[in-house]
Amino acid sequence: MTTIVIIGGGPGGYEAALVAAQLGAEVTVVEQDGPGGACVLTDCVPSKTMIATSVRKQALLDGSSLGVNFTGGLDGDVGGIYVDLPLVNTRVKELAQAQSNDIGARLVAEGVKIIKGRGRLVDPQVVRVGDATVHADVVIVATGATPRVLPGAEPDGERVLTWRQLYDLDELPEHLIVVGSGVTGAEFAGAYRSLGSEVTLVSSRDRMMPNEDADAAEVLEEVYRRRGMNVMGRSRASSVKRTEDGVVVTLEDGRTAEGTHCLMTVGMVPNTSGIGLEECGVTLDRYGFIQVDKVSRTSAPGVYAAGDCTGVLMLASVAAMQGRIAVWHALGEAVQPLRLATVASTIFTDPEIAAVGVSQRQIEQGEVEANVIKLPLATNPRAKMQGFNDGFVKLFCRPHTGIILGGVVVAPRASELILALSIAVQHRLTVDQLAHSFAVYPSLAGSITEAARRLMMPVTSAVL
């Protein structure tokens, strides 16, 4: 029987453990925080839970356009809509813990042994946890990553915060300054604005989310500004200092932004130091990320790695697939290498932004030849009924064969809508095949089949 030890119990770790147990391996997971790791306990699950509350409140605020109005309520609460932040945070923490418990119970039911502690590699096939030593035929490192800290802007857990510290606040920030306009910054900035905080978003680039689809970022920034957010472009923060009752963020050009709280969202650093990786022959890049190939192998024989510690698309879904691939390869099962071109991703803003496959940037730079269609969500009948005016469906296909190469959806629940395009990209479906599939009428998904029908026309490119 093959023995597998997994260091880290996040998506990369626990999904690998489940597959390994089902294939008959003897599996041990070493995790210091709890089943599910940081993803479940402090990052993805808590943030999306809190965002769900903010989206619900925003829907109430937008209800007047559908004839729903609110009156009365507590003093100072516009429209009588009140956010009980301690209750919100309690729900966030309880849900995260419940999810962790469910994962732990599933692992135990599958025969996986869980050791609480910090694992360290002392040999490619030996892991030490405290005073205990565990031997393995295969080791999978899935230790995740930690919020990056900027010198001069160190979090104190009270006024200057990482996203892992937000759920300990007793009151909604009166004015939250979010430093960093990538995915995490955009998500939290939008959520807290909808919850009722004044929000200033500090972006070092020309626009929000510079690495995402430009059309999608433009739509979101327009929505945020309309909701009253102050978006500061080309504004790199140099320091964050506490004042008597708040914070001052100093920018590199000398300008300042004052608020009651500051949220730092300036990237992640891998949890790879001090756990014996380089001493055992595991190669790290200059940022500390573990170097892996497309079947999750590291440079050390018998050692694999998965998840954020590898720096390969920091998504829970990618971590989970890396973990599964590692197990399949290690146990000699049939396996397909990780194909990043088929990865679907979502930014849980309001509206959501989801994408899969090639990007508009690749097409514009000549890396990929493709026909493009973009349909505004405002023309969709279901969107009209529900009062959704912001967003679009964008679809890319090969000019001659019509094979679908990718797409972008900006809409409520885009995270659900993207599945159709993800399946199309994964299985190389054509726009004809997608166009001949039934979509419910009326539905937001109808814009996807409509986009496919538009691309069936004999044109080289169509952008609406």
Side-chain angles (χ1 to χ4, degrees), residues 429-459:
L429 301 183
T430 66
V431 289
D432 293 58
Q433 289 172 312
L434 186 57
H436 285 93
S437 301
F438 278 95
V440 170
Y441 181 90
S443 69
L444 299 184
S447 287
I448 294 176
T449 52
E450 174 65 17
R453 285 193 292 274
R454 298 286 188 95
L455 282 175
M456 292 172 65
M457 296 187 298
V459 295

Side-chain angles (χ1 to χ4, degrees), residues 180-181 201-208 232-236:
S181 65
L201 182 61
V202 177
S203 173
S204 62
R205 308 287 282 276
D206 291 343
R207 62 174 174 83
M208 292 171 48
M232 301 177 65
R234 298 183 181 181
S235 304
R236 186 179 296 276

Side-chain angles (χ1 to χ4, degrees), residues 27 33 67 89 108 136 139 142 151 173 175 179 181 185 208 246 248 266 273 329 335 342 361 367 371 419 422 436:
V27 188
D33 297 324
N89 287 342
V108 171
V139 172
H175 186 168
V179 175
S181 65
M208 292 171 48
V248 174
V266 289
S273 64
H329 187 270
V335 60
T342 64
R361 180 181 299 170
E367 298 175 25
N371 289 347
L419 178 61
S422 181
H436 285 93

Side-chain angles (χ1 to χ4, degrees), residues 102-176:
D102 287 346
I103 292 168
R106 172 77 189 283
L107 290 171
V108 171
E110 295 289 342
V112 176
K113 181 179 180 181
I114 302 174
I115 299 177
K116 186 175 177 61
R118 184 171 186 264
R120 174 184 171 82
L121 210 61
V122 295
D123 179 88
Q125 276 71 49
V126 179
V127 175
R128 185 165 294 153
V129 189
D131 296 329
T133 299
V134 186
H135 294 267
D137 299 310
V138 175
V139 172
I140 301 175
V141 181
T143 49
T146 301
R148 180 170 167 241
V149 174
L150 292 182
E154 292 80 5
D156 58 20
E158 296 178 354
R159 296 286 182 177
V160 184
L161 309 152
T162 71
W163 58 87
R164 293 180 178 176
Q165 299 167 326
L166 287 170
Y167 313 111
D168 293 324
L169 294 177
D170 296 326
E171 297 180 347
L172 199 65
E174 182 179 335
H175 186 168
L176 179 66

Side-chain angles (χ1 to χ4, degrees), residues 40-42 45-46 49-50 86-102 167:
V40 169
L41 291 166
T42 61
V45 170
T49 305
M50 189 270 286
L87 181 59
V88 171
N89 287 342
T90 296
R91 178 175 180 268
V92 165
K93 293 177 182 179
E94 288 179 348
L95 193 151
Q97 188 59 58
Q99 182 68 8
S100 175
N101 294 343
D102 287 346
Y167 313 111

Side-chain angles (χ1 to χ4, degrees), residues 350-392:
D350 181 22
E352 294 179 352
I353 298 171
V356 66
V358 304
S359 67
Q360 179 86 49
R361 180 181 299 170
Q362 288 176 292
I363 296 169
E364 291 173 350
Q365 293 177 347
E367 298 175 25
V368 178
E369 185 180 3
N371 289 347
V372 180
I373 189 74
K374 176 184 168 188
L375 298 181
L377 200 66
T379 63
N380 179 287
R382 185 69 183 277
K384 292 175 183 176
M385 296 168 191
Q386 295 184 302
F388 302 146
N389 299 312
D390 303 295
F392 59 80

